[in-house]
Amino acid sequence: MKKTLILPSLLTTLLMTACASTPSNETATQSEAPTVETDQASQQTEADNWKQVGTGAAVSHIHGAGFWQEDARPVIATHTGLMEFREDGWYELMSNRHDYMGFELVEDGFYASGHPEQQSAFKNPLGVVRGTERGETLEVRSLEGEADFHHMSAGYTSESLYVYLEEPTSELRSGFYRSLDKGEAFEPMKMDGTARHGIAGLLADANEPLRVYVYGPDGMLVSDDGGDTFDSLIADEQILLAATDGTTLAYVREAAAYELVLRQTGNETILSLPNLEADVVPIELAVDEGRLLLATSDNSVYLFEEGSWSTLLHAGVAK
């Protein structure tokens, strides 16, 4: 549904260099079926294993945002696990308190990477894990102990994964990869057509498994062959982050000020963002049937619904 992104200025510099190189022709596969960790951190039997966060509690390192499938509650991935917003405030999941990266919701769960909590049975880094039961169960899909994907996007219904690998593994060089089997194996994307375009992020289409977008300071490109060839979709715009729910393509662009653009077939709407402090940058965006969730570099979280923004988390401090 959405795209997870670190500070765009840093990632643009990193990925612009990567785009100029030729991806390897290597493919990583898993010889055995994915394993399911069964330690106390990954299996919980309580009906509600969430604890309310006290007023004034600090929240840091937001690396993913979206809406839960069952009840549409906002959820964020943080340095110490998952947090969701309810009518009476923020709650944190008391199991699987991992430092999630690349957190992406799909139709019946989520994908993530990152680093396990201390004394966890998971290897560091996590590789690719798939979460269900609102994060109480995690299944290892691949590359456990080898890869930490900060830049990963998953198709909401297709579950195609598109990633940028920063540090090489035993089988993969650094570069852009796709997985069409839900994270079990990765193959390189050729990235033809991107050589003269800076890339700040990737966005998997919600429904079409072979459609992927890349965006950055020169606009947005789209591929319909899994990232092998790209064509221009949006030109001459500096795009910081993007999200899609299958009917709406939402993205934040930087002009005189930050603007949020909603594109649907034959229609474009421009929204103003919440008032942000100086030097604060939008870093996470999710869209779901007209609702929007935005996180910023100062660990603030904003919800847009019924035509207006509300603040769920201000500068990393729970209300």
Side-chain angles (χ1 to χ4, degrees):
M1 291 176 65
K2 61 118 191 118
K3 172 70 193 79
T4 300
L5 190 68
I6 65 169
L7 277 177
S9 59
L10 298 178
L11 184 53
T12 298
T13 301
L14 172 68
L15 298 194
M16 284 178 71
T17 301
C19 285
S21 63
T22 301
S24 68
N25 293 320
E26 299 161 280
T27 301
T29 60
Q30 295 295 305
S31 59
E32 300 179 357
T35 58
V36 179
E37 300 286 354
T38 58
D39 67 318
Q40 291 182 352
S42 60
Q43 295 285 347
Q44 299 293 330
T45 58
E46 297 179 24
D48 190 346
N49 198 29
W50 296 76
K51 178 181 178 182
Q52 188 168 19
V53 176
T55 301
V59 179
S60 65
H61 296 86
I62 299 175
H63 292 297
F67 298 96
W68 282 129
Q69 303 87 343
E70 301 88 348
D71 51 26
R73 287 175 180 163
V75 56
I76 58 175
T78 77
H79 189 64
T80 55
L82 300 183
M83 296 180 63
E84 68 176 28
F85 188 79
R86 304 181 184 180
E87 291 183 356
D88 57 346
W90 285 99
Y91 285 71
E92 58 183 342
L93 181 62
M94 301 310 295
S95 61
N96 284 328
R97 296 173 60 84
H98 309 305
D99 181 11
Y100 286 118
M101 302 286 181
F103 176 83
E104 286 277 287
L105 286 162
V106 292
E107 201 165 27
D108 64 346
F110 64 84
Y111 286 87
S113 190
H115 304 279
E117 63 178 326
Q118 292 184 355
Q119 300 179 340
S120 169
F122 291 101
K123 296 178 182 178
N124 185 28
L126 289 172
V128 178
V129 295
R130 192 181 190 282
T132 53
E133 297 179 326
R134 301 165 76 93
E136 296 194 33
T137 298
L138 291 182
E139 176 188 11
V140 176
R141 302 300 293 173
S142 64
L143 297 170
E144 184 184 12
E146 292 200 70
D148 174 19
F149 292 112
H150 289 202
H151 320 300
M152 178 165 64
S153 185
Y156 189 73
T157 60
S158 71
E159 297 192 36
S160 294
L161 301 184
Y162 292 90
V163 303
Y164 179 75
L165 179 64
E166 297 179 66
E167 299 292 334
T169 71
S170 60
E171 297 184 43
L172 300 177
R173 297 178 182 177
S174 299
F176 295 91
Y177 291 87
R178 61 176 173 256
S179 173
L180 304 180
D181 58 4
K182 302 182 179 181
E184 290 189 50
F186 287 86
E187 57 186 3
M189 299 156 61
K190 294 180 179 178
M191 303 298 289
D192 291 346
T194 68
R196 291 183 292 275
H197 294 265
I199 297 180
L202 308 94
L203 175 64
D205 187 80
N207 305 314
E208 297 294 332
L210 292 177
R211 182 172 298 154
V212 59
Y213 308 86
V214 296
Y215 54 87
D218 305 304
M220 181 178 290
L221 307 175
V222 60
S223 171
D224 285 318
D225 58 8
D228 286 339
T229 60
F230 284 85
D231 295 308
S232 178
L233 179 66
I234 302 169
D236 301 323
E237 294 189 20
Q238 184 170 348
I239 299 177
L240 301 183
L241 65 162
T244 182
D245 63 359
T247 60
T248 300
L249 175 62
Y251 64 93
V252 175
R253 67 185 179 193
E254 184 175 6
Y258 295 123
E259 294 179 331
L260 179 58
V261 182
L262 307 179
R263 288 169 58 109
Q264 297 173 315
T265 303
N267 186 38
E268 181 175 293
T269 302
I270 300 176
L271 299 177
S272 297
L273 292 183
N275 292 326
L276 305 180
E277 300 291 337
D279 300 324
V280 171
V281 179
I283 59 169
E284 301 289 343
L285 179 66
V287 56
D288 182 24
E289 298 182 351
R291 301 170 77 221
L292 297 159
L293 195 64
L294 177 75
T296 58
S297 58
D298 67 342
N299 296 301
S300 294
V301 177
Y302 303 93
L303 174 66
F304 182 87
E305 60 183 354
E306 298 180 353
S308 63
W309 292 98
S310 58
T311 303
L312 306 187
L313 188 68
H314 178 66
V317 178
K319 294 184 176 180

